[in-house]
Amino acid sequence: MSNQDGRAVPERGAARWFDDEAGPVVRPYAMTRGRTRTTADGRLDLIAQVIAESRAEQAVADQLLSPEHVEIVELCRRAPLSVAELAAGLDLPVGVVRVLIGDLLDAELVYVSRPVPPAELPDERVLREVIDGLRAL
C-alpha cells in the first residue's frame, strides 16, 4: 500500500519498526531498558572525561554488552572523551549516553575523570608569587 508520494505506508495493524530513510529505529529508552538515571549521575557532567580501563579490551569480548556499550569503550580506548563528545559521536541523546556510561562504570570497564572546578584552582596571585620566588633562587 502506498500514499500519494509513492512511499510505502504500513497496512493497518502492521508493526512499524523500520524508517525508510533512517533504517531500523531503536528508541533511546530501549537502549537504556527504560532507565533515565544511573548511580553515577553526579559524576557525569558534560565535560567529564571517560577513559577505558586497561583490562576493557578482553572484558568487552567476554561480556554481553550492547553495540553502543562496546562502541563507547572502543572510542575511549583510543583517547579520553567527554560525555558531550561521546553523545555527539554516537549521535545519541546525552541522557542515554550517561546511562550507558553508568553501566560501563558499574562493570569497571571505564572510569571518569572530572576537571578541577575553577573554584578549586589556586589563585593567580599565589602562582605569580611562587614563580617570582623560584626566579629569585
Side-chain angles (χ1 to χ4, degrees):
M1 180 182 205
S2 60
N3 64 9
Q4 294 173 340
D5 297 339
R7 288 187 175 192
V9 175
E11 294 180 28
R12 215 172 241 199
R16 180 119 169 111
W17 63 272
F18 192 85
D19 181 335
D20 295 330
E21 294 176 11
V25 177
V26 177
R27 301 285 182 217
Y29 63 82
M31 288 181 215
T32 63
R33 295 183 301 254
R35 297 170 295 143
T36 58
R37 299 235 177 246
T38 178
T39 56
D41 264 350
R43 298 185 304 169
L44 296 175
D45 55 8
L46 292 176
I47 60 173
Q49 296 289 306
V50 182
I51 304 156
E53 291 284 356
S54 57
R55 66 172 196 80
E57 188 171 335
Q58 60 269 26
V60 168
D62 295 342
Q63 295 190 8
L64 298 174
L65 298 174
S66 72
E68 293 81 16
H69 286 110
V70 172
E71 192 167 359
I72 289 171
V73 172
E74 288 175 357
L75 288 171
C76 293
R77 191 177 303 133
R78 294 182 201 131
L81 293 171
S82 70
V83 174
E85 290 171 319
L86 285 168
L90 295 169
D91 196 26
L92 291 173
V94 173
V96 170
V97 173
R98 282 183 175 145
V99 172
L100 296 174
I101 293 170
D103 294 343
L104 294 170
L105 281 167
D106 292 343
E108 298 179 352
L109 296 176
V110 298
Y111 66 95
V112 174
S113 173
R114 296 183 65 208
V116 178
E120 294 179 18
L121 291 173
D123 185 25
E124 183 179 341
R125 184 179 43 82
V126 173
L127 291 175
R128 290 204 183 279
E129 288 176 14
V130 169
I131 290 171
D132 292 342
L134 290 172
R135 285 184 182 152
L137 294 175

